[in-house]
């Protein structure tokens, strides 16, 4: 064929016997890919030779393929294959393209096509080499979709994944890590050193030591550390890592995850702040549940009343009442809590030792998302001294200092 040194008649005859395994001279693309399906079209666009593989690819018999004129094949026209064919012949140059089409014989597939102008008996012909890549394209699409879903899942969970090829010093990050570190893919020189530079300066030695210690011990590790953003913001992350080793025991690949725990850290800090306020408040604090049963108290409460939380857990705060507070005060208190969610006023209670004391108390209700009461939080202090001072001032204001008469 010029290309093979045979005539058109010989080539057509030999082509009938060609299979991917038996072809004497493999016809392959410039890149080395072998094409199983082969057909030749003459200057009139009529197919003059075809093997069984190409017939199977298009869902036809060899005879049906041989009966075709590519200029009359509608799928060639609709897919753009006809335009590429005419351009190939016009410029006498090879072209390779992928086409998704439905053949004349009803088979829908994606083909990898290599078109090569050849000369037979002094006339230009077209050599078409074809491979059905439908399954490969489907697998590629499934992989792309899988990666898309993984990236979306990582985005929602704020968890990114990474791998470090220790032999090539090549670092790969998932999209979520780029988002988490707020780094542009295009501007990031991926390496372990570049990764360390994104970590808060005060945490770099700690993180690097955790990693190098893991390489020596051959054990996975977890660590929490900070990231310092370009605008000064600080993020908190939780990182896990494991390393795979080659047959000689040398570290080959490290891989792990990084999770943004900034919100969790801030929530924990807020909880710790509230806990400190609760523990160290000078005022006594008592918390009840929605059934008005005691669930928590602070040290100042124990100091003031003499009761520990273990003694009162699950009980009604009425156990603290002295019986000296008017019922109207309690009615006013509950009405205000129900209508406004808070109340403050004076109550007279009894300590564990039986002593009576006046207290100034402030009570607030906390609610769930549905608006139901979850807890009542009471904060109070002993106002015995304040009451005594008020009485002395009243006495001085209304009595003679010498005689004590009103």
């Amino acid at each position: 064929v010029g290309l093979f040194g045979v005539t058109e008649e010989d080539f057509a005859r030999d082509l009938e016997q060609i299979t991917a395994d038996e072809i004497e001279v493999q016809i392959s693309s410039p890149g080395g890919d072998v094409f199983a399906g082969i057909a030749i079209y003459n200057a009139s666009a009529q197919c003059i030779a075809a093997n069984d593989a190409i017939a199977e690819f298009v869902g036809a018999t060899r005879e049906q393929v041989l009966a075709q004129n590519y200029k009359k094949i509608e799928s060639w026209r609709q897919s753009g294959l006809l335009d590429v064919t005419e351009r190939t012949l016009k410029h006498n140059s090879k072209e390779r393209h992928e086409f998704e089409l439905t053949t004349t014989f009803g088979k829908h597939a994606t083909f990898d096509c290599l078109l090569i102008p050849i000369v037979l008996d002094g006339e230009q012909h077209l050599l078409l080499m074809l491979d059905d890549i439908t399954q490969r394209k489907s697998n590629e699409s499934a992989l792309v979709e899988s990666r898309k879903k993984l990236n979306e899942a990582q985005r929602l969970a704020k968890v990114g994944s990474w791998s470090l090829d220790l032999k090539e010093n090549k670092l790969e990050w998932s999209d979520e890590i780029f988002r988490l570190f707020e780094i542009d893919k295009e501007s990031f020189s991926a390496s372990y050193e570049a990764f360390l530079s994104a970590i808060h300066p005060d945490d770099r030695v700690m993180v690097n030591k955790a990693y190098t210690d893991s390489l020596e011990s051959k054990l996975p590790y977890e660590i929490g550390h900070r990231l310092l953003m370009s605008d000064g913001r600080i993020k908190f992350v939780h990182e896990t890592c494991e390393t795979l080793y080659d047959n000689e025991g040398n570290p080959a690949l490290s891989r792990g995850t990084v999770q943004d725990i900034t919100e969790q850290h801030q929530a924990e800090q807020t909880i710790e702040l509230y806990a400190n306020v609760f523990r160290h408040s000078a005022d006594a604090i008592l918390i009840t549940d929605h059934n008005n049963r005691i669930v928590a108290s602070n040290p100042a409460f124990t100091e003031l009343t003499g009761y520990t939380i273990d003694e009162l857990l699950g009980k009604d705060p009425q156990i603290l009442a002295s019986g000296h507070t008017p019922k109207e005060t309690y009615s006013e208190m509950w009405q205000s809590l129900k209508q406004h969610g808070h109340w403050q006023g004076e109550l007279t209670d009894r300590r564990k030792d039986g002593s009576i004391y006046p207290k100034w108390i402030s009570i607030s209700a906390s609610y769930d998302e549905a608006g139901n009461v979850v807890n009542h939080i009471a904060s109070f202090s002993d106002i015995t001294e304040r009451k005594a001072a008020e009485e002395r001032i009243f006495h001085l204001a209304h009595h003679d200092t010498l005689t004590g008469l009103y």
Side-chain angles (χ1 to χ4, degrees):
V1 196
L3 184 62
F4 300 103
V6 296
T7 65
E8 177 179 339
E9 182 179 348
D10 290 335
F11 188 77
R13 182 178 61 253
D14 292 342
L15 194 60
E16 296 179 8
Q17 308 302 321
I18 288 177
T19 68
D21 297 325
E22 298 170 343
I23 183 168
E24 183 177 350
V25 181
Q26 276 194 340
I27 301 176
S28 55
S29 72
D33 298 323
V34 175
F35 289 78
I38 301 171
I40 293 180
Y41 298 85
N42 64 19
S44 300
Q46 183 63 41
C47 183
I48 61 169
N51 67 353
D52 290 334
I54 198 168
E56 181 180 349
F57 286 162
V58 301
T61 62
R62 279 188 64 255
E63 289 72 21
Q64 288 175 312
V65 175
L66 288 168
Q68 286 190 309
N69 182 301
Y70 68 70
K71 289 187 177 180
K72 298 179 181 179
I73 302 176
E74 187 60 27
S75 59
W76 280 44
R77 187 181 306 278
Q78 291 179 353
S79 65
L81 178 55
L82 180 60
D83 292 337
V84 173
T85 299
E86 292 177 345
R87 186 171 65 240
T88 296
L89 294 173
K90 179 180 180 180
H91 298 290
N92 196 35
S93 61
K94 295 187 285 288
E95 290 208 28
R96 181 177 180 177
H97 295 274
E98 294 179 2
F99 296 94
E100 182 179 358
L101 53 84
T102 301
T103 69
T104 304
F105 311 100
K107 182 176 180 179
H108 187 84
T110 302
F111 298 103
D112 187 5
C113 305
L114 180 63
L115 300 99
I116 305 175
I118 60 175
V119 176
L120 292 174
D121 295 336
E123 289 188 353
Q124 187 183 52
H125 286 58
L126 175 71
L127 172 62
L128 171 65
M129 295 195 290
L130 201 68
D131 196 18
D132 186 342
I133 59 171
T134 306
Q135 187 59 50
R136 190 188 82 193
K137 298 298 287 186
S138 176
N139 293 341
E140 289 174 355
S141 297
L143 179 60
V144 169
E145 183 63 23
S146 177
R147 286 177 176 171
K148 181 179 178 182
K149 290 180 178 179
L150 175 61
N151 285 332
E152 183 64 12
Q154 289 189 348
R155 184 187 67 81
L156 293 173
K158 294 185 179 180
V159 178
S161 57
W162 60 270
S163 65
L164 174 62
D165 186 329
L166 293 163
K167 297 185 182 298
E168 300 293 334
N169 193 31
K170 182 180 179 182
L171 178 66
E172 292 185 356
W173 282 3
S174 68
D175 289 347
E176 180 56 24
I177 292 191
F178 282 101
R179 284 192 289 266
L180 197 159
F181 279 68
E182 299 181 12
I183 293 176
D184 183 3
K185 281 184 178 182
E186 305 302 323
S187 62
F188 180 64
S189 177
S191 67
Y192 179 65
E193 291 72 21
F195 163 70
L196 282 178
S197 68
I199 296 173
H200 192 289
D202 294 343
D203 292 349
R204 288 173 191 166
V205 173
M206 175 186 68
V207 173
N208 187 55
K209 185 177 186 302
Y211 178 63
T212 54
D213 288 351
S214 173
L215 292 180
E216 292 179 7
S217 66
K218 297 185 178 180
L219 295 174
Y221 73 92
E222 298 183 18
I223 191 171
H225 61 84
R226 294 168 294 173
L227 304 178
L228 181 60
M229 301 296 102
S230 59
D231 60 1
R233 287 178 297 113
I234 292 178
K235 289 184 177 181
F236 294 83
V237 298
H238 180 262
E239 183 182 343
T240 64
C241 172
E242 66 175 1
T243 299
L244 306 180
Y245 298 81
D246 60 23
N247 294 333
E248 286 72 38
N250 299 313
L253 177 72
S254 294
R255 61 191 181 188
T257 62
V258 181
Q259 182 176 19
D260 185 351
I261 60 169
T262 304
E263 292 182 1
Q264 176 184 335
H265 177 82
Q266 291 172 341
E268 290 173 351
Q269 290 291 95
T270 301
I271 291 172
E272 182 62 23
L273 174 62
Y274 291 160
N276 282 328
V277 171
F278 181 76
R279 284 193 297 266
H280 302 295
S281 173
D283 287 342
I285 299 176
L286 184 69
I287 301 176
T288 61
D289 62 15
H290 65 286
N291 290 320
N292 199 36
R293 296 296 172 177
I294 296 172
V295 295
S297 66
N298 70 341
F301 173 87
T302 299
E303 184 178 351
L304 176 60
T305 67
Y307 288 103
T308 65
I309 183 60
D310 292 335
E311 294 174 298
L312 298 181
L313 198 63
K315 294 182 178 180
D316 192 303
Q318 189 65 27
I319 193 174
L320 304 173
S322 65
H324 294 190
T325 302
K327 292 183 179 180
E328 293 77 15
T329 301
Y330 287 118
S331 298
E332 177 188 333
M333 177 188 77
W334 283 112
Q335 184 176 2
S336 179
L337 286 172
K338 289 178 181 179
Q339 292 181 352
H340 308 293
H342 58 83
W343 178 83
Q344 62 178 356
E346 183 180 328
L347 300 177
T348 303
D349 276 2
R350 187 189 307 274
R351 294 186 178 91
K352 183 180 178 181
D353 62 10
S355 60
I356 307 298
Y357 70 101
K359 68 181 182 183
W360 185 262
I361 184 169
S362 176
I363 307 175
S364 297
S366 65
Y367 305 88
D368 60 20
E369 293 181 355
N372 301 311
V373 173
V374 178
N375 299 106
H376 284 109
I377 303 100
S379 174
F380 55 91
S381 59
D382 185 343
I383 58 172
T384 301
E385 292 184 1
R386 194 186 80 183
K387 293 277 288 183
E390 289 174 353
E391 289 177 2
R392 284 196 298 271
I393 293 171
F394 181 85
H395 181 83
L396 291 173
H398 296 86
H399 295 76
D400 182 80
T401 56
L402 292 176
T403 65
L405 296 175
Y406 188 80

